Short mmCIF file of all heavy atoms in Angstrom, two decimals:
data_model
loop_
_atom_site.label_atom_id
_atom_site.label_comp_id
_atom_site.label_asym_id
_atom_site.label_seq_id
_atom_site.Cartn_x
_atom_site.Cartn_y
_atom_site.Cartn_z
N ALA A 1247 24.36 -16.21 -8.94
CA ALA A 1247 24.66 -15.38 -7.77
C ALA A 1247 23.39 -14.35 -7.66
O ALA A 1247 22.91 -13.78 -8.61
CB ALA A 1247 25.89 -14.65 -7.96
N LEU A 1260 14.41 9.90 3.19
CA LEU A 1260 12.97 10.16 3.26
C LEU A 1260 12.29 9.63 4.52
O LEU A 1260 11.49 10.21 5.18
CB LEU A 1260 12.20 9.67 1.95
CG LEU A 1260 10.77 10.08 1.88
CD1 LEU A 1260 10.50 11.57 2.03
CD2 LEU A 1260 10.18 9.56 0.57
N LEU A 1266 11.44 11.79 11.77
CA LEU A 1266 11.74 12.98 12.64
C LEU A 1266 10.52 13.90 12.70
O LEU A 1266 10.21 14.54 13.77
CB LEU A 1266 12.92 13.66 12.11
CG LEU A 1266 14.33 12.97 12.20
CD1 LEU A 1266 15.36 13.79 11.37
CD2 LEU A 1266 14.70 12.62 13.57
N ALA A 1270 8.80 14.88 16.02
CA ALA A 1270 8.68 16.28 16.42
C ALA A 1270 7.20 16.75 16.69
O ALA A 1270 6.90 17.59 17.53
CB ALA A 1270 9.22 17.24 15.36
N TRP A 1279 -1.17 12.60 28.28
CA TRP A 1279 -1.30 11.21 28.11
C TRP A 1279 -2.07 10.63 29.18
O TRP A 1279 -2.84 9.63 29.02
CB TRP A 1279 0.13 10.66 27.92
CG TRP A 1279 0.99 11.02 26.85
CD1 TRP A 1279 1.92 11.92 26.86
CD2 TRP A 1279 0.78 10.68 25.44
NE1 TRP A 1279 2.46 12.15 25.63
CE2 TRP A 1279 1.77 11.36 24.74
CE3 TRP A 1279 -0.05 9.77 24.86
CZ2 TRP A 1279 1.93 11.17 23.37
CZ3 TRP A 1279 0.02 9.61 23.51
CH2 TRP A 1279 0.91 10.35 22.75
N PHE A 1285 -10.41 8.54 28.82
CA PHE A 1285 -11.27 8.78 27.63
C PHE A 1285 -12.41 7.90 27.41
O PHE A 1285 -13.59 8.27 27.21
CB PHE A 1285 -10.31 8.83 26.35
CG PHE A 1285 -11.09 9.02 25.02
CD1 PHE A 1285 -11.66 10.25 24.76
CD2 PHE A 1285 -11.38 7.98 24.25
CE1 PHE A 1285 -12.43 10.47 23.51
CE2 PHE A 1285 -12.05 8.05 23.08
CZ PHE A 1285 -12.57 9.40 22.77
N LYS A 1291 -19.91 8.36 29.12
CA LYS A 1291 -20.68 9.24 29.91
C LYS A 1291 -21.46 10.22 28.98
O LYS A 1291 -22.73 10.42 29.13
CB LYS A 1291 -19.75 10.10 30.80
CG LYS A 1291 -20.50 11.27 31.59
CD LYS A 1291 -19.48 12.05 32.27
CE LYS A 1291 -20.26 13.39 32.88
NZ LYS A 1291 -19.23 14.18 33.63
N TRP A 1320 -26.47 20.19 -2.17
CA TRP A 1320 -26.94 20.03 -3.51
C TRP A 1320 -26.70 21.20 -4.40
O TRP A 1320 -26.22 21.03 -5.63
CB TRP A 1320 -28.47 19.61 -3.43
CG TRP A 1320 -29.06 19.46 -4.87
CD1 TRP A 1320 -29.94 20.38 -5.48
CD2 TRP A 1320 -28.95 18.42 -5.79
NE1 TRP A 1320 -30.25 19.86 -6.74
CE2 TRP A 1320 -29.68 18.64 -6.90
CE3 TRP A 1320 -28.25 17.08 -5.61
CZ2 TRP A 1320 -29.81 17.76 -7.92
CZ3 TRP A 1320 -28.24 16.30 -6.69
CH2 TRP A 1320 -29.06 16.62 -7.81
N GLY A 1322 -24.43 23.54 -3.97
CA GLY A 1322 -22.94 23.61 -4.29
C GLY A 1322 -22.50 22.57 -5.21
O GLY A 1322 -21.68 22.97 -6.03
N PRO A 1332 -17.13 22.14 -18.38
CA PRO A 1332 -16.31 22.73 -19.57
C PRO A 1332 -14.87 22.93 -19.29
O PRO A 1332 -13.94 22.81 -20.12
CB PRO A 1332 -16.96 24.03 -19.83
CG PRO A 1332 -17.74 24.41 -18.57
CD PRO A 1332 -18.12 23.04 -17.94
N GLY A 1340 -4.86 16.87 -25.39
CA GLY A 1340 -5.44 16.36 -26.64
C GLY A 1340 -6.65 17.09 -27.01
O GLY A 1340 -7.18 16.78 -28.23
N ASN A 1347 -4.52 24.09 -20.89
CA ASN A 1347 -4.79 23.16 -19.86
C ASN A 1347 -3.87 23.18 -18.71
O ASN A 1347 -4.21 22.73 -17.59
CB ASN A 1347 -4.88 21.68 -20.42
CG ASN A 1347 -3.69 21.35 -21.24
OD1 ASN A 1347 -2.53 21.54 -20.74
ND2 ASN A 1347 -3.84 20.86 -22.40
N ALA A 1348 -2.60 23.73 -18.89
CA ALA A 1348 -1.62 23.75 -17.78
C ALA A 1348 -2.08 24.72 -16.68
O ALA A 1348 -1.98 24.41 -15.55
CB ALA A 1348 -0.24 24.07 -18.46
N ARG A 1358 -8.09 22.91 -4.53
CA ARG A 1358 -8.07 21.61 -3.67
C ARG A 1358 -7.35 21.81 -2.46
O ARG A 1358 -7.53 21.11 -1.40
CB ARG A 1358 -7.55 20.44 -4.51
CG ARG A 1358 -8.45 19.98 -5.63
CD ARG A 1358 -8.26 18.60 -6.06
NE ARG A 1358 -6.75 18.52 -6.25
CZ ARG A 1358 -6.21 18.71 -7.62
NH1 ARG A 1358 -6.93 19.19 -8.46
NH2 ARG A 1358 -4.93 18.56 -7.78
N VAL A 1364 -12.15 27.59 4.89
CA VAL A 1364 -11.46 28.81 4.61
C VAL A 1364 -12.03 29.55 3.40
O VAL A 1364 -12.11 30.81 3.46
CB VAL A 1364 -9.93 28.49 4.22
CG1 VAL A 1364 -9.26 29.71 3.83
CG2 VAL A 1364 -9.32 27.82 5.50
N PHE A 1378 -26.37 30.33 1.68
CA PHE A 1378 -25.92 30.59 0.28
C PHE A 1378 -24.37 30.61 0.36
O PHE A 1378 -23.67 30.38 -0.62
CB PHE A 1378 -26.46 31.80 -0.37
CG PHE A 1378 -26.10 32.02 -1.74
CD1 PHE A 1378 -26.38 31.03 -2.69
CD2 PHE A 1378 -25.45 33.16 -2.25
CE1 PHE A 1378 -25.98 31.21 -3.99
CE2 PHE A 1378 -25.02 33.34 -3.48
CZ PHE A 1378 -25.26 32.38 -4.45
N ILE A 1444 -19.76 13.95 -0.43
CA ILE A 1444 -18.72 14.74 0.27
C ILE A 1444 -19.12 16.19 0.83
O ILE A 1444 -18.99 16.56 1.95
CB ILE A 1444 -17.44 14.91 -0.49
CG1 ILE A 1444 -16.72 13.56 -0.86
CG2 ILE A 1444 -16.46 15.82 0.02
CD1 ILE A 1444 -15.55 13.67 -1.82
N ASN A 1445 -19.88 16.78 -0.14
CA ASN A 1445 -20.52 18.04 0.30
C ASN A 1445 -21.52 17.96 1.35
O ASN A 1445 -21.67 18.90 2.15
CB ASN A 1445 -21.16 18.80 -0.93
CG ASN A 1445 -20.11 19.24 -1.93
OD1 ASN A 1445 -18.91 19.32 -1.57
ND2 ASN A 1445 -20.43 19.48 -3.18
N SER A 1449 -21.07 20.19 4.48
CA SER A 1449 -21.99 21.30 4.81
C SER A 1449 -22.17 21.38 6.35
O SER A 1449 -22.50 22.50 6.90
CB SER A 1449 -23.31 20.94 4.14
OG SER A 1449 -23.90 19.74 4.66
N LEU A 1464 -25.99 22.34 15.93
CA LEU A 1464 -25.10 21.58 16.76
C LEU A 1464 -24.18 22.35 17.65
O LEU A 1464 -23.99 22.16 18.88
CB LEU A 1464 -24.14 20.64 15.92
CG LEU A 1464 -23.25 19.78 16.64
CD1 LEU A 1464 -23.88 18.71 17.50
CD2 LEU A 1464 -22.27 19.06 15.62
N MET A 1478 -30.34 13.89 19.68
CA MET A 1478 -31.39 13.70 18.64
C MET A 1478 -30.83 14.34 17.32
O MET A 1478 -31.14 13.69 16.29
CB MET A 1478 -32.52 14.73 19.03
CG MET A 1478 -33.81 14.59 18.17
SD MET A 1478 -34.61 12.99 18.32
CE MET A 1478 -34.00 12.10 16.84
N LEU A 1501 -24.83 3.19 -12.91
CA LEU A 1501 -24.24 3.87 -13.94
C LEU A 1501 -23.01 3.24 -14.54
O LEU A 1501 -22.69 3.12 -15.63
CB LEU A 1501 -23.82 5.27 -13.46
CG LEU A 1501 -24.97 6.33 -13.22
CD1 LEU A 1501 -24.47 7.56 -12.56
CD2 LEU A 1501 -25.69 6.58 -14.55
#
Side-chain angles (χ1 to χ4, degrees):
L1260 181 61
L1266 291 176
W1279 297 102
F1285 176 75
K1291 171 186 174 182
W1320 177 255
N1347 54 52
R1358 292 195 308 274
V1364 177
F1378 185 61
I1444 295 174
N1445 286 345
S1449 63
L1464 180 63
M1478 187 69 260
L1501 292 172

